[in-house]
Amino acid sequence: RPDRRGTCTLHNVHIGKHTQYGPYFQHEERRVRTLLLNKSAARKLAMQAETQGMTVVPLKAYFNDQSKVKFQIGLARGKNVRDKRADNIKERDTKRERRRIIIFFTL
């Protein structure tokens, strides 16, 4: 989530524990993580997410040489979730009413 102050945080991402390290050097698997971005890049993401109704989404995650997790992020537009059946039912009802009116006036 980018904000206006120029920081980005990562929510609800599961990063598994290291298999080669002991329990002392482990991390929490699901915690809010701060992303390292330039302030201008974070503000740009925040502006695009707010104005266009888009969401910032992590696309790839990988570990670098210093055992830090790197993310490739992108902007995504949400799916259209309106009920299309309601439109079809409404359209069918209006066609039926038109036919009834035409038949009524032709008789």
Side-chain angles (χ1 to χ4, degrees):
R1 282 186 201 158
D3 61 358
R4 291 287 192 167
R5 293 177 300 176
T7 60
C8 285
T9 54
L10 188 65
H11 297 267
N12 296 327
V13 174
H14 180 274
I15 298 175
K17 294 186 177 184
H18 294 285
T19 57
Q20 299 175 351
Y21 298 114
Y24 183 74
F25 294 107
Q26 294 297 332
H27 59 271
E28 293 180 38
E29 295 176 343
R30 258 191 209 275
R31 67 176 171 93
V32 177
R33 290 175 165 78
T34 304
L35 298 178
L36 298 175
L37 286 174
N38 291 336
K39 198 176 272 194
S40 61
R43 286 182 180 160
K44 185 178 177 183
L45 284 173
M47 290 293 292
Q48 289 178 344
E50 285 178 10
T51 57
Q52 299 174 359
M54 299 180 92
T55 304
V56 179
V57 178
L59 302 174
K60 268 188 190 174
Y62 52 93
F63 286 97
N64 66 358
D65 296 334
Q66 292 90 25
S67 296
K68 296 191 183 221
V69 179
K70 289 190 148 201
F71 285 97
Q72 180 182 2
I73 58 175
L75 288 171
R77 180 168 295 136
K79 215 173 157 182
N80 191 358
V81 293
R82 66 184 179 94
D83 191 10
K84 295 175 186 165
R85 292 175 298 164
D87 293 342
N88 289 339
I89 292 170
K90 193 183 300 182
E91 185 178 319
R92 196 176 336 134
D93 289 342
T94 56
K95 283 182 181 179
R96 189 178 302 137
E97 287 296 321
R98 285 182 192 160
R99 276 191 246 127
R100 284 182 189 159
I101 292 171
I102 291 172
I103 291 171
F104 180 72
F105 282 118
T106 55
L107 291 178

